[in-house]
Amino acid sequence: MTEALRVQVAVETPQHSGLARPLDYTSKCPLTPGVLVRVPLGRREVLGIVWRERAEGSDFPDEQLLRPVAEVFDALPPLAPAWLALVEFAAAYYQRGLGELALAVLPPELRKLDAPGLAKRHARLIKRLDKAVAADAVDVARPEPGEAQQQALDAIELALSQPQPLPILLHGVTGSGKTEVYLRAAESVLARGRQVLVLVPEINLTPQLEARFAERFPGRRLVSMHSGLTPVQRLSHWLQALLGRADIVLGTRLSVFAPLPRLGLVVVDEEHDPSYKQQEGARYSARDLAVYRAHLERVPVILGSATPSLETWQRAEEGRYQKLTLAGRVGDGALPRVRLFDMGVLPRSKGAPPVLAPLVLQSLRERLERGEQSLVFLNRRGYAPVLHCPDCGWKSGCPHCSAWRVFHKTERTLRCHHCGFTERVPRACPDCGNLDIAPIGRGTERLEEQLAELLPGARIARLDADSARGKGQLESRLAEVHAGEVDILVGTQMVTKGHDFRRITLVVAINPDSALFASDFRAPERLFALLMQAGGRAGRDAAAADRSEMWIQTWHPKHALYAALKTHDFGAFAASQLAERRGASLPPFSHLALLRAESRDAAVAMAFLRAAADATALLPGADQVMIYPPVPPAVQKVAGIERLQMLVECGSRVLLQRLLAEWLPSLHAVRAEHKGLARWAIDVDPLSI
Ligand code: ADP
Ligand code: ZN
Ligand code: ZN
């Protein structure tokens, strides 16, 4: 009788079960790490990934009876060692179970298949791919790179031949030709027989970029990866990547885990975008993992942005990243002239300032007369953020959250944007019966209505999460804008992202000031990026560029952020922000983790966090780590659950990681002592605090 071999298999075990490591199984034949298998777990049989060939140490742990691997998916090539290393790093860094993370980033459809089922899918896919005739290598028209683009491309070319290239920051405003650089760099990588991974922050932005890559590389196979795919598509695209059949993989944050046996280049477009951070489960940053993956696989990574994250910018300043700059717009496209309107100078009628300053209204009228388009940006949706009774003081609070319910006029509802609780808007005040309840403040819906009153005859369209909720609504609205059927586009930050509107010559930002004084230290950075991006929508058409402008209605026209925006000087803005952050020991000059706790009873969450803080006392390096008192987030109660968070700060990433690795496992025991705790979670490198 031959002795059975031992293998360690990553399976999905919940983080809190304490089984964070791969489990031991036996196998009759040797199994390469990265091979997919099905194994028994409890009474079920589950999908797993062979992680190591043999368990370390010579003895089987007494408590675990080794069971044999049930099935091997031998039709597929194993996941590459670099893929396993990436997942192992991500699980350790973000403090999640290895199996939990590894299985979460595989296509869910895989779990439903047994080995013969998958082999059948695989064979069918290969047959289909082999039958598809490759398009002839036609001569695709492509612009000659400009001088700055050529310099960037030379640097990327050099990086491609280096054994361990530095990450590259490609800094350039909207329309400076960054995408063209990605395309040329991809061309070079594809010619070397390698695969290209392109990350985009949002699913809405994939079709445009996909179209540009597909058009440039008609003979190459491009697959997308995002949440809009059906499970069957997702599996098919994943298989094409794994089999090396896909040359280009383009997708949202999850695609950083795409299996790519011939990876040659990673591109992260709009690298500063907060959407790259996963907000639940393993709270990973796809941007940071892309940098790590490129390092592991010794390939260049290009981080592109007009307004890089300050973390990335600082690394470039320190020479840890290579900075390449595209200084101006391609051709004669100029950046819009940024103008600030001081709302403080306006006379107030009945206490409230007018929605639009006269000069701004005049600018909108000029666009209408010339047949040009305008974009009006207000980062708040709904009609009004709150309804109010002037007689008794009633306000439209949410009974389940510490937040107001938003008045949606066309829908005739009061809707909570935190828990979704929705009711028909009351006819009269629920407390005193007063019929004159009134909206306070303004959202995009009201702005749209007010613009229609001020500019009769203008064709106005609104773009926000409410108006774009239905399938295809976003696309059809954008198509209207492109077709010139819209004069004024009103919207939230949704309108500022990526869309290439050629005819827009005016961008108006309505009172974006609140972010200047927000408690989140990243709020100014976000606002600057948002306004740069919004401004970037104007003047993309060179013929109209000299007429393009951005108006900002503000109560703080002297603020340094607006001064830097006026001169389009990201460097100056970054320098002032970084100086502040350095002084306050904030990232990138320190490293943070946030421990969150949730309970119906705030006292329970508080007690858990305090006990958790006490548990650090004896850990190595505890004296180098600062633990702040627990505080509520901006909205403390959501859907009846009280939330608290505790910030952990350390000057050294390594020390923080060491502490977390010791601390987190001990919190399972702490939790057990706090009955009534609904959930707890750790967020490493949190984006919003
Ligand atoms: P970004 O990604 O920085 O917004 P793009 O690469 O999309 O910039 O370039 C903006 C526009 O200019 C696109 O229409 C693109 O086709 C065009 N373009 C880019 N580079 C060149 C070039 N070297 N010559 C002519 N047109 C170019
Ligand atoms: Zn009332
Ligand atoms: Zn609510």
Side-chain angles (χ1 to χ4, degrees):
M1 205 181 100
T2 55
E3 207 185 329
L5 302 161
R6 267 176 291 161
V7 287
Q8 290 196 312
V9 178
V11 293
E12 191 168 39
T13 46
Q15 185 203 22
H16 296 210
S17 71
L19 295 172
R21 294 149 192 269
L23 305 182
D24 288 346
Y25 289 91
T26 64
S27 164
K28 285 208 198 72
C29 50
L31 293 174
T32 319
V35 165
L36 294 178
V37 291
R38 288 183 73 82
V39 291
L41 181 71
R43 275 188 229 157
R44 297 174 302 146
E45 200 180 279
V46 297
L47 181 66
I49 305 166
V50 174
W51 215 261
R52 288 180 203 90
E53 251 174 328
R54 289 201 307 133
E56 287 131 20
S58 53
D59 294 321
F60 293 170
D62 298 324
E63 70 274 18
Q64 198 186 332
L65 202 62
L66 296 190
R67 299 162 78 182
V69 167
E71 217 180 10
V72 181
F73 291 73
D74 39 18
L76 293 187
L79 291 155
W83 188 91
L84 301 179
L86 174 71
V87 169
E88 198 153 315
F89 169 80
Y93 188 84
Y94 294 103
Q95 306 292 329
R96 303 299 292 198
L98 175 63
E100 181 203 7
L101 179 66
L103 274 292
V105 301
L106 294 182
E109 187 78 356
L110 270 180
R111 295 168 207 212
K112 296 195 194 144
L113 298 171
D114 58 7
L118 184 61
K120 213 184 283 170
R121 293 267 184 111
H122 176 223
R124 230 187 295 154
L125 176 69
I126 296 287
K127 212 165 135 195
R128 182 160 64 77
L129 294 179
D130 287 346
K131 245 199 338 226
V133 253
D136 287 336
V138 281
D139 257 338
V140 179
R142 58 215 223 298
E144 271 311 300
E147 204 175 312
Q149 285 173 319
Q150 191 56 55
Q151 273 176 17
L153 288 167
D154 290 345
I156 294 167
E157 201 60 34
L158 192 64
L160 283 169
S161 61
Q162 284 169 340
Q164 185 75 69
L166 287 183
I168 291 166
L169 164 61
L170 184 61
H171 179 221
V173 295
T174 313
S176 62
K178 294 186 295 297
T179 309
E180 188 54 38
V181 170
Y182 308 154
L183 289 165
R184 288 271 182 167
E187 186 180 324
S188 171
V189 170
L190 293 170
R192 292 163 195 242
R194 312 285 290 270
Q195 291 169 299
V196 179
L197 172 63
V198 184
L199 302 188
V200 286
E202 271 181 47
I203 180 170
N204 296 337
L205 301 178
T206 52
Q208 292 184 54
L209 204 58
E210 210 180 324
R212 261 178 99 175
F213 271 84
E215 190 186 354
R216 181 62 62 88
F217 304 111
R220 301 290 186 165
R221 192 170 295 283
L222 183 160
V223 298
S224 58
M225 287 189 183
H226 52 73
S227 60
L229 301 177
T230 65
V232 171
Q233 282 171 329
R234 189 154 155 209
L235 176 61
S236 163
H237 292 185
W238 183 86
L239 282 174
Q240 291 181 53
L242 172 69
L243 298 169
R245 291 297 193 108
D247 299 304
I248 304 162
V249 172
L250 191 150
T252 48
R253 57 177 180 261
L254 187 69
S255 53
V256 75
F257 293 107
L260 295 155
R262 300 182 279 112
L263 181 63
L265 173 70
V266 184
V267 173
V268 184
D269 194 23
E270 308 286 1
E271 69 90 30
H272 64 281
D273 198 297
S275 307
Y276 281 122
K277 179 91 160 128
Q278 168 83 16
Q279 290 301 343
E280 56 197 39
R283 294 164 189 251
Y284 62 85
S285 156
R287 190 261 326 274
D288 293 349
L289 287 181
V291 171
Y292 186 80
R293 181 169 189 177
H295 173 82
L296 262 180
E297 307 211 23
R298 299 167 174 270
V299 301
V301 53
I302 306 176
L303 307 173
S305 178
T307 50
S309 66
L310 292 178
E311 282 79 359
T312 296
W313 188 258
Q314 177 61 20
R315 281 184 199 138
E317 297 282 281
E318 290 168 4
R320 291 156 69 197
Y321 290 2
Q322 185 183 5
K323 182 163 83 183
L324 306 174
T325 309
L326 304 178
R329 279 188 157 173
V330 173
D332 293 325
L335 288 167
R337 179 170 165 220
V338 176
R339 306 176 70 182
L340 302 170
F341 190 91
D342 182 355
M343 294 299 275
V345 306
L346 289 179
R348 288 160 161 250
S349 61
K350 279 195 296 176
V355 51
L356 290 175
L359 266 175
V360 178
L361 185 59
Q362 183 52 34
S363 299
L364 279 165
R365 288 216 174 93
E366 281 167 20
R367 270 39 189 214
L368 281 172
E369 279 159 20
R370 290 205 294 260
E372 296 166 4
Q373 292 177 315
S374 305
L375 189 155
V376 184
F377 162 63
L378 171 65
N379 217 5
R380 175 186 275 158
R381 63 197 168 88
Y383 187 85
V386 59
L387 268 190
H388 167 242
C389 168
D391 275 8
C392 76
W394 172 85
K395 281 183 175 173
S396 57
C398 175
H400 312 295
C401 306
S402 43
W404 306 121
R405 274 181 299 161
V406 176
F407 174 37
H408 290 262
K409 192 176 177 188
T410 31
E411 229 182 63
R412 305 293 308 153
T413 59
L414 290 177
R415 175 146 53 89
C416 174
H417 288 187
H418 297 278
C419 73
F421 180 67
T422 306
E423 280 180 331
R424 273 192 79 78
V425 66
R427 229 175 265 275
C429 172
D431 283 0
C432 76
N434 173 18
L435 287 172
D436 278 334
I437 44 177
I440 302 180
R442 177 190 304 119
T444 44
E445 210 184 314
R446 191 174 200 182
L447 178 60
E448 182 186 16
E449 189 182 280
Q450 289 172 324
L451 285 172
E453 280 165 22
L454 290 166
L455 300 160
R459 296 167 301 171
I460 301 174
R462 179 163 56 90
L463 196 63
D464 56 31
D466 298 311
S467 74
R469 194 175 310 164
K471 196 171 158 54
Q473 274 182 333
L474 175 66
E475 291 72 18
S476 66
R477 198 131 312 181
L478 291 175
E480 280 168 34
V481 179
H482 287 296
E485 291 159 17
V486 170
D487 300 314
I488 300 175
L489 183 64
V490 176
T492 54
Q493 61 173 342
M494 198 181 260
V495 298
T496 66
K497 288 201 179 167
H499 313 292
D500 188 357
F501 300 127
R502 295 259 139 193
R503 302 165 199 240
I504 287 181
T505 63
L506 172 65
V507 174
V508 180
I510 307 277
N511 309 345
D513 291 343
S514 60
L516 297 177
F517 310 103
S519 62
D520 189 331
F521 69 88
R522 282 197 180 85
E525 178 182 354
R526 291 229 180 90
L527 177 62
F528 192 88
L530 207 58
L531 292 176
M532 269 296 260
Q533 208 150 19
R537 302 302 114 213
R540 301 203 64 178
D541 187 357
D546 54 341
R547 294 198 296 280
S548 71
E549 51 185 12
M550 169 152 86
W551 269 113
I552 297 172
Q553 298 193 160
T554 170
W555 299 90
H556 303 274
K558 297 227 160 63
H559 198 284
L561 186 150
Y562 293 136
L565 194 72
K566 245 176 116 80
T567 48
H568 306 284
D569 193 347
F570 178 78
F573 170 72
S576 76
Q577 282 288 307
L578 285 167
E580 273 180 35
R581 300 244 191 123
R582 193 190 289 274
S585 281
L586 287 168
F589 304 103
S590 70
H591 302 277
L592 304 178
L594 203 58
L595 185 64
R596 305 174 198 270
E598 300 183 359
S599 170
R600 291 202 169 269
D601 181 356
V604 171
M606 180 61 88
F608 168 78
L609 290 177
R610 291 222 170 103
D614 292 344
T616 59
L618 297 172
L619 297 181
D623 53 335
Q624 316 246 14
V625 174
M626 174 83 177
I627 298 187
Y628 290 84
V631 290
V635 177
Q636 173 161 7
K637 188 172 85 170
V638 169
I641 301 285
E642 303 280 346
R643 311 183 303 168
L644 283 167
Q645 56 188 33
M646 187 168 79
L647 193 62
V648 182
E649 180 208 293
C650 183
S652 146
R653 193 188 290 279
V654 176
L655 277 181
L656 178 61
Q657 278 288 318
R658 199 175 296 159
L659 180 103
L660 293 178
E662 301 258 347
W663 186 34
L664 270 288
S666 74
L667 291 185
H668 298 289
V670 176
R671 190 231 154 98
E673 291 160 16
H674 291 81
K675 305 273 178 256
L677 191 72
R679 291 206 303 176
W680 67 276
I682 187 85
D683 188 349
V684 181
D685 302 335
L687 262 197
S688 44
I689 64 166

